[in-house]
């Protein structure tokens, strides 16, 4: 029974190594293609040619690109992700710290997203199809889905933070004291992300539940005299969750990118903001490290979703 | 009507929602099923026979309404009784097998889960050991090989014919007084159809229950039923002992249904299956 599951996980782990290698090569190539380098960024426009040359030598920037990539890759294989060209310190502790913040924000966003969108979808399915409640839920959710998250973020900030003053406009979590203040700083970014994500899962759950409730097996469960609670929890819900999990996985994947934008809007010290800042400073080892961690997260989310899907779908699990 | 009538359908008229308006699907239908009797209900698709079968379980749905009449099971008026009373009859005293038995099995549940939850709900007095024993026994009764292993499997791991038998096992598990079979052999090849009919004859012999057997195929009626009723456009146009209805049809529609029968091969097959 678990053989199919183990085969899936094994194959994915093998593939993910190749994916990460490809990601690092592409990111390195793109960084090389960008104009300018770290020395220029650090010293500014008025730097003398000599000063630039000295700094480039210190940062080993005069070596050819393939040699720098090879050095970096060799280091990674030994667990050394390199040294930041700007901070001149190992990138790993930096990335770990920022990743922790991103994980907190993304985790909280998902922790709200999954029960909220699934239960709204189930609620929509419980009302009359295309009735007033169903239509209203869908309309609000679609509005959230069609607006870009930086628009929603700025909109929420201007109303809830600037006008009403209920929440801080910036999510300066590293300066927050105590869990209550942390929650206050995180609320707006979490809401912004949820606005963007809810519609899709909600509609998938609602449509799946509508179909399942009209299925032969739910009809027969009722005609076999089983109580409504049992029919809903054992016969209907598990079959409506598979499409919902697909949608949640897509959203969680989107979240890896969406969080970058939201972190910049709220000046939140996560991995996304670190990535954007490091790109502007041409800090190649930092960019590579951050990109690898984001990619690995994306891969892990998809694998977790496929495992959950398989556990919920006996047809995939046992043949 | 006698005291042994298990089911009494009295002047039942029902409508079906069709686009904008309501379309009659049953017109003034009266019918009885006696204890221990097998009644065949024949008619082409759209004649209302599946609706009648569903109404024997008191099934309500938004796109259907009862205009007049009653359905009584053991004296209980299914459309006047409280919902809980009707729900307690379903699965317990009335077993139902739909046309597509496979689709009636929840894909995320094991056969054991389906059977055991049904038995535990309707027969709370049974110990969990007895529930397991009964689940295995009813699977064996419908001819599923290796019942202990079958209980651990999911519906998709069985063939179409086996899924239909499992649907039958679910209908039989709580030892009902009435079995409603809505075209249980439709869409299956001749060999599987004959095996299913042989199984139903055996169950009838062992269990002494009443059966309503809905079909569009008069030939299968002859092999199983005591009495037959023929439906046409929502009305019962003919009832009587099954051999009479089949051999001496009085209504022109029944004669047309009979004339449409090609099946010499089915009778031969029935003999072969019976011989095995």
């Amino acid at each position: 029974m678990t053989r199919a599951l183990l085969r899936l996980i094994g194959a994915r782990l093998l593939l993910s190594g190749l994916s990460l290698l490809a990601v690092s090569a592409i990111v390195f190539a793109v960084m090389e293609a960008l104009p300018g380098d770290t020395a220029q960024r650090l010293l500014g426009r008025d730097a003398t040619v000599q000063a630039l040359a000295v700094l480039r030598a210190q940062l080993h920037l005069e070596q050819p690109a393939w040699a720098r990539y090879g050095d970096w890759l060799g280091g990674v294989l030994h667990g050394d992700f390199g040294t930041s060209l700007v901070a001149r310190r190992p990138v790993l502790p930096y990335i770990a710290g920022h990743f922790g913040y991103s994980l907190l924000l993304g985790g909280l966003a998902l922790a709200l997203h999954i029960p909220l969108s699934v239960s709204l979808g189930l609620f929509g399915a419980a009302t009359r199809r295309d009735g007033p409640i169903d239509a209203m839920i869908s309309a609000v959710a679609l509005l959230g889905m069609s607006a870009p998250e930086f628009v929603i973020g700025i909109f929420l900030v201007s109303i809830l933070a600037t006008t009403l003053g209920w929440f801080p406009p910036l999510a300066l979590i590293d300066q927050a004291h105590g869990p209550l203040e942390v929650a206050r700083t995180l609320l707006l970014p979490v809401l912004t992300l949820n606005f963007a994500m809810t519609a899709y899962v909600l509609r998938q759950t609602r449509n799946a539940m509508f179909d399942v409730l009209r299925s032969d097996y739910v009809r027969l469960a009722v005609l076999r005299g089983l109580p409504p609670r049992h029919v809903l929890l054992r016969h209907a819900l598990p079959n409506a969750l598979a499409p919902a999990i697909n949608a949640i996985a897509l959203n969680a994947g989107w979240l890896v990118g969406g969080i970058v934008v939201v972190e910049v809007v709220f000046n939140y010290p996560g991995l996304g903001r670190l990535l954007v800042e490091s790109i502007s400073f041409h800090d190649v080892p930092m960019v590579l490290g951050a990109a690898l961690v984001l990619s690995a997260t994306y891969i892990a989310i998809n694998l977790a979703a496929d495992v959950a899907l398989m556990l919920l779908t006996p047809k995939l699990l046992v043949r | 009507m006698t005291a042994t009538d298990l089911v009494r359908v009295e002047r039942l008229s029902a409508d079906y929602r069709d686009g904008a308006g309501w379309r009659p699907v049953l017109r003034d239908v009266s019918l009885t099923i006696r204890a221990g009797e097998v009644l065949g209900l024949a008619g082409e698709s759209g004649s209302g026979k599946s609706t009648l079968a569903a109404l024997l379980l008191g099934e309500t749905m938004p796109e259907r309404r009862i205009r007049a009449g009653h359905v009584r099971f053991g004296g209980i008026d299914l459309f006047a009784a409280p919902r809980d009373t009707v729900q307690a009859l379903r699965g317990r005293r009335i077993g139902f097998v739909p046309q597509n038995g496979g689709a009636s099995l929840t894909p995320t549940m094991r056969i054991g889960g389906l059977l055991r939850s049904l038995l535990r709900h309707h027969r709370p007095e049974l110990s969990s050991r007895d529930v397991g024993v009964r689940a295995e026994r009813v699977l064996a009764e419908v001819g599923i090989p290796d019942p202990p292993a079958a209980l651990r499997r999911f519906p998709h791991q069985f063939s179409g014919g086996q899924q239909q038998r499992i649907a039958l096992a679910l209908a039989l598990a709580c030892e009902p007084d009435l079995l409603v079979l809505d075209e249980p052999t439709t869409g299956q090849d001749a060999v599987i159809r004959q095996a299913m009919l042989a199984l139903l004859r055996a169950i009838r012999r062992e269990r002494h229950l009443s059966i309503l057997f809905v079909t569009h195929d008069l030939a299968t009626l002859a092999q199983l039923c005591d009495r037959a009723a023929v439906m046409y456009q929502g009305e019962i146009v003919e009832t009587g002992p099954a051999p009479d209805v089949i051999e001496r049809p009085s209504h022109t529609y029944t004669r047309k249904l009979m004339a449409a029968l090609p099946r010499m091969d089915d009778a031969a097959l029935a003999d072969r299956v019976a011989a095995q």
Side-chain angles (χ1 to χ4, degrees), chain A residues 231-290:
Chain A
V231 174
L232 273 179
L233 293 181
R234 296 282 317 271
H235 296 261
L237 200 56
N239 287 288
L241 281 185
I245 284 187
N246 267 328
I248 289 169
L250 277 174
N251 266 343
W254 171 86
L255 192 60
V256 174
I259 209 168
V260 174
V261 176
V262 170
E263 283 178 4
V264 172
V265 169
F266 287 95
N267 207 17
Y268 182 81
L271 197 56
R273 208 191 71 187
L274 180 70
L275 183 68
V276 172
E277 284 171 359
S278 303
I279 290 172
S280 73
F281 274 99
H282 234 281
D283 192 348
V284 176
M286 194 71 101
V287 171
L288 282 173

Side-chain angles (χ1 to χ4, degrees), chain B residues 192-204:
Chain B
I192 292 177
R193 186 164 58 232
Q194 287 305 328
M196 186 62 149
L197 287 172
L199 172 62
L200 290 172
R201 280 196 296 271
I203 284 166
R204 188 194 170 179

Side-chain angles (χ1 to χ4, degrees), chain A residues 66-84:
Chain A
W66 60 266
R68 278 180 283 131
Y69 181 66
D71 279 351
W72 177 83
L73 196 60
V76 167
L77 293 178
H78 293 94
D80 173 17
F81 281 73
T83 306
S84 164

